[in-house]
C-alpha cells in the first residue's frame, strides 16, 4: 500500500500499474547533470536562472500526494481484526478489577476467600459487561453514532435485532447470577448496591435516558464500578455463616474511589478519536464539550489526582503500607498514558490506542492494590 503516484491528482492522471511509478533514467547512478548553457539572453531573463547545481542521480521514487495516501490508508481491515475489536476483550478488566479488589478487601478483613462465589460473580460480571457492550452498539447504531464504525457488532453481524437479543440474554443471565449469590450470602446491602450499579449502566446508554449523550457517562461509570460494585463484591465475598455483616470502613470506600477513577479514565479516553462523529449525532461527551487539547489536560491532572489520593490514603494509614507501595510501582505507566495522550490527542489513528493503554493502567493498579491487601493480611 506504499505505492505512489506520478502526478498531481488535480490533473486527472493516475498510473495504470505499479511499474509506472518508477522513473528509469537513461544514465547510471553517479552521473553528474549540470544545467545547459543558455545562449539567448531573452531565454536567460525569462527563466531567471540561478547558479547551476550538480546533482547525483539514481533511481527516483516519487512521493504520493496526500489524497492518494488517504485512499491507500483506508484499506480493508481484516474481519478477524474487526471481530477482535468488537469483542473488546481488554475492556473486560473492568469486570475483573472491582471484583478482585473487593475479594482482597474481604480477605484482609476476614481471612476468607470464597473461590466458588468468586467464580460465579466473575462469570456474572462478564455477562453484565457483555450486555453493556452489545446494547451500547445497538443504541449507538440507532442514533447513527456507529454508522461508520466497522467494528460495531451490529455492522458486523448485520442484525440489530440479533445483537439486542444477545444483549438482553446476557443481562438476564448476569443478573440471575448476581441475585443468586446475593441471596446465598443473605446480604441485602450488596443486592441494593449491585442494582444501583446496573441502573447506572442502563441510564448511561439505554432509551429514553441515554445520559451519555449529555456528558454524564463518566460520573455514572465512576459510581457503578467504584463505590457500588467494589463495595458490593466486598460484602458478598466476606459474608459467611459466621459473619453476615461486614463493616463498611473508610478503607473500603477509599479503595472503591481509586477503582472508580481508573475505570472512568478508560471511558473518557475512548472518545478522543470519536469527537467529530459524536458531535455530528448530538452526543455531547465531555471531550466534545472540552476539545481534545483540554481533554488531554484533564487526563494528565486526573492521573496526578489519582496518585495524590493514593499518597494521602497511605499517609493517613487508611490504606496499608503494602498497598501504597505496590500501587506507586504503577506510576511509570500512569505517566506514560498522560504523555501519550498529550502528544497524540489530535491524531485519530494513534489516540485510538489511548483507551487500551488506560486499560493497562487500570488493570495493573487494581492488581497492585489487591496484592497489597493480601500482603497486609
Amino acid at each position: 500500500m506504499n505505492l505512489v503516484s506520478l502526478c498531481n491528482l488535480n490533473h486527472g492522471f493516475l498510473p495504470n500499474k505499479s511499474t509506472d511509478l518508477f522513473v528509469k533514467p537513461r544514465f547510471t547512478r553517479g552521473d553528474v547533470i549540470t544545467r545547459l548553457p543558455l545562449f539567448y539572453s531573452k531565454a536567460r531573463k525569462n527563466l531567471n536562472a540561478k547558479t547551476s547545481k550538480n546533482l547525483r542521480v539514481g533511481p527516483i521514487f516519487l512521493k504520493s500526494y496526500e489524497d492518494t495516501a488517504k485512499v491507500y490508508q483506508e484499506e480493508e481491515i481484516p474481519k478477524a481484526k474487526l471481530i477482535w475489536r468488537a469483542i473488546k476483550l481488554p475492556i473486560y478488566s473492568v469486570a475483573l478489577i472491582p471484583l478482585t479488589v473487593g475479594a482482597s478487601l474481604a480477605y484482609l478483613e476476614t481471612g476468607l476467600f470464597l473461590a466458588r462465589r468468586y467464580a460465579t460473580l466473575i462469570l456474572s460480571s462478564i455477562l453484565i459487561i457483555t450486555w453493556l457492550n452489545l446494547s451500547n452498539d445497538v443504541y449507538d447504531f440507532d442514533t447513527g453514532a456507529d454508522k461508520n464504525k466497522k467494528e460495531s457488532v451490529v455492522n458486523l453481524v448485520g442484525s440489530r435485532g440479533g445483537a439486542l437479543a444477545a444483549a438482553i440474554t446476557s443481562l438476564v443471565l448476569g443478573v440471575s447470577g448476581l441475585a443468586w449469590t446475593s441471596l446465598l450470602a443473605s446480604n441485602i446491602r450488596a443486592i441494593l448496591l449491585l442494582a444501583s450499579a446496573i441502573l447506572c449502566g442502563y441510564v448511561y446508554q439505554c432509551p429514553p435516558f441515554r445520559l451519555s449523550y449529555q456528558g454524564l457517562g463518566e460520573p455514572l461509570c465512576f459510581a457503578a464500578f467504584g463505590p457500588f460494585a467494589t463495595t458490593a463484591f466486598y460484602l458478598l465475598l466476606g459474608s459467611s455463616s459466621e459473619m453476615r455483616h461486614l463493616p463498611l470502613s473508610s478503607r473500603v470506600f477509599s479503595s472503591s474511589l481509586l477503582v472508580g477513577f481508573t475505570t472512568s479514565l478508560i471511558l473518557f479516553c475512548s472518545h478522543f478519536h470519536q469527537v467529530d462523529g459524536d458531535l455530528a449525532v448530538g452526543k455531547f461527551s465531555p471531550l466534545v464539550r472540552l476539545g481534545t487539547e483540554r481533554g488531554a489536560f484533564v487526563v494528565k491532572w486526573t492521573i496526578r489526582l489519582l496518585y495524590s489520593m493514593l499518597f494521602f490514603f497511605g499517609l493517613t494509614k487508611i490504606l496499608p503500607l503494602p498497598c501504597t507501595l505496590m500501587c506507586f510501582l504503577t506510576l511509570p505507566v500512569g505517566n506514560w498514558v498522560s504523555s501519550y495522550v498529550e502528544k497524540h490527542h489530535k491524531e485519530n489513528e494513534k489516540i485510538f490506542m489511548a483507551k487500551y493503554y488506560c486499560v493497562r493502567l487500570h488493570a495493573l493498579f487494581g492488581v497492585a492494590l489487591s496484592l497489597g491487601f493480601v500482603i497486609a493480611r
Side-chain angles (χ1 to χ4, degrees):
M1 296 310 296
N2 290 325
L3 297 177
V4 293
S5 63
L6 280 171
C7 61
N8 193 323
L9 292 178
N10 295 330
H11 291 89
F13 177 80
L14 288 172
N16 294 322
K17 52 187 179 179
S18 62
T19 55
D20 294 340
L21 301 177
F22 304 96
V23 177
K24 299 179 180 178
R26 297 180 181 177
F27 34 79
T28 61
R29 181 184 294 273
D31 287 350
V32 176
I33 301 175
T34 59
R35 295 176 186 260
L36 294 175
L38 298 175
F39 297 103
Y40 301 99
S41 58
K42 184 176 180 180
R44 188 187 300 271
K45 291 179 182 178
N46 290 340
L47 291 174
N48 192 22
K50 297 180 180 179
T51 306
S52 62
K53 297 180 180 178
N54 293 336
L55 303 174
R56 188 172 297 276
V57 180
I60 301 171
F61 296 85
L62 297 179
K63 295 180 180 179
S64 62
Y65 287 86
E66 185 178 1
D67 291 342
T68 308
K70 289 180 180 178
V71 171
Y72 288 134
Q73 286 172 5
E74 292 175 1
E75 58 179 317
E76 191 68 24
I77 301 175
K79 193 165 186 178
K81 190 172 184 179
L82 290 176
I83 293 174
W84 171 257
R85 288 184 180 180
I87 294 173
K88 303 173 185 174
L89 190 60
I91 303 297
Y92 283 85
S93 66
V94 301
L96 177 64
I97 294 304
L99 178 59
T100 304
V101 171
S104 61
L105 278 165
Y107 177 77
L108 176 64
E109 189 71 32
T110 65
L112 296 174
F113 176 68
L114 306 175
R116 290 186 181 180
R117 195 175 295 182
Y118 180 88
T120 303
L121 287 173
I122 199 168
L123 179 60
S124 301
S125 299
I126 288 172
L127 288 168
I128 295 295
I129 300 300
T130 302
W131 161 68
L132 284 171
N133 286 335
L134 290 175
S135 59
N136 184 63
D137 280 359
V138 168
Y139 297 125
D140 277 352
F141 175 82
D142 291 343
T143 61
D146 282 357
K147 181 180 180 181
N148 298 317
K149 187 178 178 182
K150 294 180 180 180
E151 65 268 25
S152 166
V153 174
V154 179
N155 291 334
L156 276 175
V157 302
S159 172
R160 178 194 180 278
L164 183 60
I168 294 173
T169 302
S170 298
L171 176 63
V172 171
L173 292 175
V175 169
S176 299
L178 294 176
W180 180 79
T181 308
S182 298
L183 291 173
L184 188 66
S186 302
N187 199 307
I188 300 299
R189 292 181 297 173
I191 295 176
L192 294 176
L193 287 167
L194 289 173
S196 299
I198 294 171
L199 181 61
C200 285
Y202 185 86
V203 299
Y204 163 74
Q205 62 192 6
C206 299
F209 304 102
R210 288 178 177 164
L211 296 184
S212 62
Y213 281 66
Q214 308 305 318
L216 298 176
E218 282 72 12
L220 289 169
C221 178
F222 171 83
F225 292 97
F228 291 155
T230 304
T231 306
F233 291 140
Y234 157 74
L235 293 172
L236 290 177
L237 291 166
S239 299
S240 63
S241 56
E242 293 81 15
M243 183 177 290
R244 291 290 183 185
H245 300 288
L246 290 178
L248 291 176
S249 63
S250 58
R251 178 179 297 160
V252 175
F253 182 68
S254 61
S255 301
S256 69
L257 290 182
L258 296 174
V259 173
F261 258 81
T262 57
T263 310
S264 300
L265 194 62
I266 299 172
L267 180 61
F268 185 85
C269 288
S270 70
H271 291 123
F272 267 101
H273 68 291
Q274 298 177 337
V275 170
D276 293 336
D278 288 347
L279 182 60
V281 297
K283 186 175 183 178
F284 294 101
S285 66
L287 278 169
V288 169
R289 299 176 185 273
L290 293 171
T292 59
E293 186 172 353
R294 281 187 287 182
F297 179 82
V298 169
V299 170
K300 178 172 68 176
W301 280 99
T302 299
I303 291 174
R304 288 181 179 180
L305 179 59
L306 173 69
Y307 287 97
S308 297
M309 291 170 59
L310 175 64
F311 178 76
F312 173 77
F313 293 148
L315 189 65
T316 55
K317 298 184 179 180
I318 293 176
L319 292 179
L321 181 60
C323 286
T324 308
L325 295 178
M326 292 293 292
C327 288
F328 265 115
L329 292 177
T330 67
L331 183 58
V333 182
N335 288 332
W336 175 53
V337 170
S338 177
S339 60
Y340 183 88
V341 171
E342 188 173 19
K343 183 178 179 181
H344 299 296
H345 65 88
K346 292 182 179 179
E347 304 172 69
N348 283 352
E349 66 278 5
K350 291 185 177 180
I351 201 62
F352 173 82
M353 294 300 298
K355 64 181 177 183
Y356 294 109
Y357 298 150
C358 289
V359 168
R360 293 182 190 180
L361 174 62
H362 171 68
L364 290 172
F365 194 95
V367 169
L369 188 62
S370 300
L371 284 175
F373 286 130
V374 173
I375 293 171
R377 175 69 186 179

